Amino acid sequence: MEGSVERGGVEIAYQVFGDGPTILLLPTWPIVTSRCWKAQVPYLARHFRVITFDARGSGGSGRPVGAVAYDDTEFIADTLAVLDATQTASAVLVGFSRGCPWALEVALDQPDRVLGVICIGPATRLTPMLEERTRWTFDARHDTTEGWAKYNRHYWVEGGYDDFVEYFFTKLFPEPHSTKQIEDTIGWAHEIAPERLVDTEDGRQNHLPPERFADLHQPVLVIHGSDDAIRPHAEGARLAELTGGSLLTVAGGGHAPHARDPVVVNHSIKDFTDRVAPRPVRRTWVRAAGRPRRALYLSSPIGLGHARRDLAIALELRVHHPDLQIDWLAQHPVTRVLADAGETVHPASKWLFNESRHIEFEADEHDLHAFQAIRRMDEILVANFHTFADLVADEHYDLVIGDEAWEVDYFLHENPELKRFAYAWLTDFVGWLPMPDGGIEEAALTADYNAEMIEQRARYHRLRDRSIFVGDPDDIVDATFGPGLPTIRDWTERNFDFAGYVTGFEPEPVDRASLGYRTDRPLCVVTVGGSGVGSSLLHRILAAVPAARGLVPGLEFVIVTGPRIDPASLPRVPGVSIRGYLPDLHRHLAAADLAITQGGLTTCMELTAQRIPFLYVPLRHHFEQNFHVAARLDRYNAGHRLSYPEAADPTRLAEAIAKALTQPIDYLPVATTGATQAANLLAPLL
């Protein structure tokens, strides 16, 4: 629910999520919006009622002019107004940095409405600022703009605001590999004018006196990073001491551990709230001697290719362990494939946020900046990891298999104490690669992401009990992870076992008539995978059909939209039949004289295994399709690659179709034992 409340002519925008005991996530300095809580809201709202609001001066709230509008008393009054507007009788208050003294004062002034207070990186002025900051004053003009001299009213309003913002948030996140958090906060900082930020500094007068902290009677939890460069860790320790509260020190953490280390912070907020607002718990524990073998399988939701290979691996795994129970934690469209196969989708899957929907949102006209899209999926990944973590905490699993379940692999390495099962990781590519037009910046970002992965694996190599590459060493791209980092092939060979490619079926001839197709005319099957990002390509192909049929008389087309594109959204063209989701798509591809596809690995390798001529059109800026998939197909001498501008030209596409129908096939054979080999690697873990 979204709403707003007005105080003194200033609109304060708020949001309410979920139900149950209430957690109010207070705003902080208006240099950032309430989006600073994006890693907390989805998880906490699954268990509690969660309220956020934008501080005056930020986000969707009003931006009054003048220092008096930003006095501490105004932020406290805004907090109470939001509690009233949302009819909140009582809540746990969570403050970050400058929001902490506001939360504490509300707890002191209206104790019956506050169940407890959590302070993250508190800025309470209980201890002096770090020495490097005390040399500079906010109001004076300085003869330098280096370091904390940037924290200056004159510098902000006279053109130095961008420089200050970049410096400030780099200091706020001292943890390595914090590029996304820094990028987010810099973006939010540009939603407030420097003049208004000056007002927030001038208005910061009525600060809570330290002697009042001892009067607090509610439970308190303080979370503070040991390497906080904004407010010293001693400040959090002193606050915990004065309030009789608990202290969680994030060793190596900076000022915003809720953004940089959200899993441990979210669990701490939940545990604290469960204690101060307890609810009945119902759970079952099975004695070890009576537990069946159980595996939890996570299949990548972006497309359908992983689902078929994972089903094939699961089938082979049951040959080793016939009594094995497999639960699937999965999203649409993977759940569609699993349902058709009669598999068990765990009920917790309903809590997963849909990654395919996010990818579709990011795509435009056959263009998907895949690396950036995954970076911008960070809050979805945090939320989905928490669903996984709650599940494996409540239920026993002997083995967890993650097929490119990026969130599980990343956050397990960041929180290795959460591993309580054998764990196997599957992938068909290794290494984030920059697109050439991304320039130096994207090259640096991909290298940073690769370096973090390499460091995680070196530090916690034991965390994965198996790392399985779905393919052969020769399928790995000939590239490096980045400057000063190892080559991708060498590192992968040292850190992975190889299963060979997993097709999920045995290639065999298909009776075209049994599928309802004519046998006396050439057939072209067009498919764009399980997500909705291929809609633009389908329209382009349909536009080329008349020209293609002019070059190849009698050519018929079958357009397969998949589960996330509505067949009714496509125009009707003579010579074209449009189908939706086909659970046995590989059989339809095997019946084709030619296929056209988007460039995903699974469909392209299925066509290679079945020795069907095909054209593939990689999504623009999709690094995996343009580099990893293309390199593998080149190795197999399979398919003909078209750029999207080529495919978008009806004449050129028609000519490519006609040519592909006449060229001989000389693909390398694709082994069909991949599922068996993968199961052989996984079975001992059970």
Side-chain angles (χ1 to χ4, degrees):
M1 184 189 74
E2 293 183 327
S4 65
V5 59
E6 181 181 329
R7 280 195 57 257
V10 180
E11 291 284 336
I12 303 300
Y14 62 79
Q15 293 180 308
V16 184
F17 309 84
D19 54 45
T22 299
I23 297 175
L24 175 63
L25 302 172
L26 274 75
T28 182
W29 190 23
I31 197 171
V32 298
T33 73
S34 61
R35 290 278 290 147
C36 72
W37 296 113
K38 68 176 185 173
Q40 281 65 57
V41 169
Y43 172 62
L44 295 176
R46 185 151 54 83
H47 299 280
F48 308 103
R49 179 174 181 255
V50 177
I51 302 173
T52 66
F53 69 96
D54 288 316
R56 51 181 56 220
S58 75
S61 293
R63 287 158 170 74
V65 176
V68 67
Y70 296 95
D71 188 280
D72 282 295
T73 57
E74 297 295 337
F75 291 100
I76 293 165
D78 290 344
T79 302
L80 293 171
V82 169
L83 288 174
D84 291 340
T86 57
Q87 299 180 335
T88 303
S90 61
V92 171
L93 306 187
V94 184
F96 163 49
S97 191
R98 293 191 181 184
C100 294
W102 305 335
L104 292 164
E105 186 142 357
V106 170
L108 286 164
D109 293 347
Q110 300 210 15
D112 292 341
R113 301 189 72 173
V114 179
L115 301 172
V117 180
I118 301 174
C119 292
I120 301 173
T124 53
R125 296 182 178 175
L126 284 174
T127 60
M129 288 190 297
L130 297 168
E131 184 178 351
E132 62 178 316
R133 293 185 60 181
T134 59
R135 293 177 297 181
W136 311 105
T137 60
F138 182 67
D139 296 312
R141 288 187 178 275
H142 306 304
D143 57 4
T144 180
T145 59
E146 296 301 314
W148 281 104
K150 303 176 194 294
Y151 198 92
N152 180 269
R153 70 165 63 240
H154 307 290
Y155 192 53
W156 293 0
V157 300
E158 294 172 7
Y161 183 66
D162 289 355
D163 182 43
F164 158 71
V165 165
E166 184 173 349
Y167 174 80
F168 178 73
F169 288 116
T170 302
K171 298 291 286 187
L172 193 141
F173 291 106
E175 302 93 338
H177 313 298
S178 298
T179 57
K180 185 59 171 64
Q181 290 79 15
I182 293 171
E183 180 182 301
D184 283 342
T185 47
I186 288 175
W188 298 328
H190 287 103
E191 296 186 26
I192 185 171
E195 291 80 6
R196 296 292 73 74
L197 204 63
V198 169
D199 286 344
T200 70
E201 288 296 275
D202 290 342
R204 197 176 180 218
Q205 301 296 329
N206 296 310
H207 218 67
L208 191 65
E211 58 269 17
R212 291 198 63 196
F213 289 124
D215 297 333
L216 203 71
H217 298 298
Q218 298 94 333
V220 172
L221 169 64
V222 179
I223 304 174
H224 212 123
S226 66
D227 294 355
D228 191 334
I230 306 300
R231 299 301 309 185
H233 175 265
E235 184 162 359
R238 180 62 176 151
L239 177 62
E241 180 183 1
L242 288 173
T243 60
S246 301
L247 173 64
L248 169 61
T249 298
V250 180
H255 189 58
H258 65 293
R260 192 60 186 83
D261 294 292
V263 172
V264 66
V265 172
N266 291 350
H267 283 160
S268 298
I269 294 173
K270 181 182 183 297
D271 292 345
F272 179 90
T273 306
D274 282 338
R275 287 195 300 272
V276 300
R279 292 171 291 175
V281 175
R282 305 286 188 270
R283 61 189 300 259
T284 299
W285 182 84
V286 180
R287 296 188 68 249
R291 292 176 186 170
R293 285 191 179 90
R294 298 184 72 203
L296 183 66
Y297 213 131
L298 300 93
S299 186
S300 177
I302 302 175
L304 289 177
H306 298 264
R308 178 173 287 122
R309 79 180 182 205
D310 292 334
L311 282 169
I313 292 170
L315 184 65
E316 292 292 333
L317 200 52
R318 290 180 173 122
V319 173
H320 291 268
H321 299 288
D323 62 337
L324 177 63
Q325 297 180 7
I326 298 179
D327 290 342
W328 297 79
L329 189 63
Q331 308 166 30
H332 189 270
V334 172
T335 49
R336 179 80 178 267
V337 180
L338 297 174
D340 289 342
E343 293 287 331
T344 301
V345 177
H346 197 284
S349 297
K350 69 182 180 181
W351 295 110
L352 295 173
F353 287 80
N354 193 279
E355 297 172 25
S356 287
R357 186 178 303 157
H358 169 82
I359 293 298
E360 291 159 7
F361 174 80
E362 291 272 349
D364 180 44
E365 188 63 25
H366 207 69
D367 193 355
L368 175 65
H369 290 253
F371 170 67
Q372 297 293 353
I374 291 173
R375 290 184 78 232
R376 288 189 285 265
M377 198 160 63
D378 53 346
E379 64 194 285
I380 293 175
L381 297 179
V382 173
N384 287 349
F385 175 78
H386 274 296
T387 295
F388 163 80
D390 280 358
L391 173 56
V392 295
D394 290 341
E395 300 184 31
H396 172 80
Y397 288 98
D398 300 286
L399 172 63
V400 170
I401 306 168
D403 185 351
E404 293 187 12
W406 300 106
E407 69 276 27
V408 169
D409 195 67
Y410 177 81
F411 286 111
L412 277 181
H413 280 87
E414 292 289 284
N415 303 269
E417 68 277 4
L418 298 182
K419 184 196 173 190
R420 50 174 67 86
F421 38 75
Y423 171 56
W425 167 255
L426 281 75
T427 185
D428 54 37
F429 81 93
V430 176
W432 308 100
L433 296 175
M435 297 304 296
D437 60 0
I440 296 174
E441 181 180 2
E442 185 166 315
L445 286 175
T446 54
D448 183 70
Y449 271 57
N450 290 331
E452 183 175 29
M453 174 199 65
I454 292 169
E455 292 165 13
Q456 284 180 330
R457 295 299 302 129
R459 179 66 182 86
Y460 289 106
H461 195 79
R462 61 173 172 78
L463 195 132
R464 291 185 197 162
D465 297 281
R466 285 284 189 277
S467 296
I468 301 175
F469 186 85
V470 182
D472 303 314
D474 289 341
D475 293 324
I476 303 169
V477 294
D478 185 15
T480 70
F481 286 111
L485 299 174
T487 65
I488 295 176
R489 180 172 297 181
D490 177 66
W491 187 87
T492 305
E493 287 184 353
R494 287 187 284 107
N495 286 274
F496 278 79
D497 295 307
F498 293 84
Y501 192 72
V502 180
T503 59
F505 61 87
E506 288 284 344
E508 59 183 4
V510 173
D511 178 11
R512 184 181 293 184
S514 69
L515 298 174
Y517 302 131
R518 294 182 58 162
T519 59
D520 59 342
R521 294 185 179 182
L523 175 67
C524 177
V525 176
V526 181
T527 177
V528 290
S531 73
V533 301
S535 179
S536 297
L537 180 60
L538 293 182
H539 281 86
R540 298 295 189 178
I541 293 171
L542 285 167
V545 166
R549 299 190 79 201
L551 295 175
V552 185
L555 178 61
E556 293 190 339
F557 287 80
V558 175
I559 303 288
V560 182
T561 64
R564 294 185 66 83
I565 299 175
D566 182 2
S569 67
L570 299 178
R572 292 307 186 257
V573 177
V576 178
S577 61
I578 300 176
R579 311 285 296 272
Y581 167 67
L582 295 176
D584 56 348
L585 176 61
H586 67 284
R587 299 188 69 240
H588 295 259
L589 293 173
D593 296 294
L594 174 70
I596 305 176
T597 186
Q598 179 171 266
L601 179 64
T602 301
T603 303
C604 290
M605 287 300 291
E606 287 180 3
L607 291 164
T608 302
Q610 298 177 111
R611 307 186 69 76
I612 303 298
F614 66 96
L615 306 176
Y616 69 101
V617 187
L619 286 159
R620 292 178 290 175
H621 294 102
H622 193 305
F623 74 94
E624 184 188 359
Q625 291 188 5
N626 282 277
F627 299 129
H628 293 280
V629 176
R632 192 179 299 218
L633 294 177
D634 287 347
R635 180 202 163 204
Y636 281 90
N637 198 31
H640 178 71
R641 176 176 174 170
L642 291 177
S643 68
Y644 186 65
E646 290 174 318
D649 182 328
T651 301
R652 297 179 71 177
L653 179 55
E655 291 172 348
I657 290 171
K659 182 178 179 180
L661 282 166
T662 62
Q663 289 185 323
I665 296 297
D666 58 351
Y667 304 163
L668 291 179
V670 178
T672 60
T673 58
T676 300
Q677 293 184 80
N680 289 342
L681 292 167
L682 294 171
L685 303 181
L686 287 160

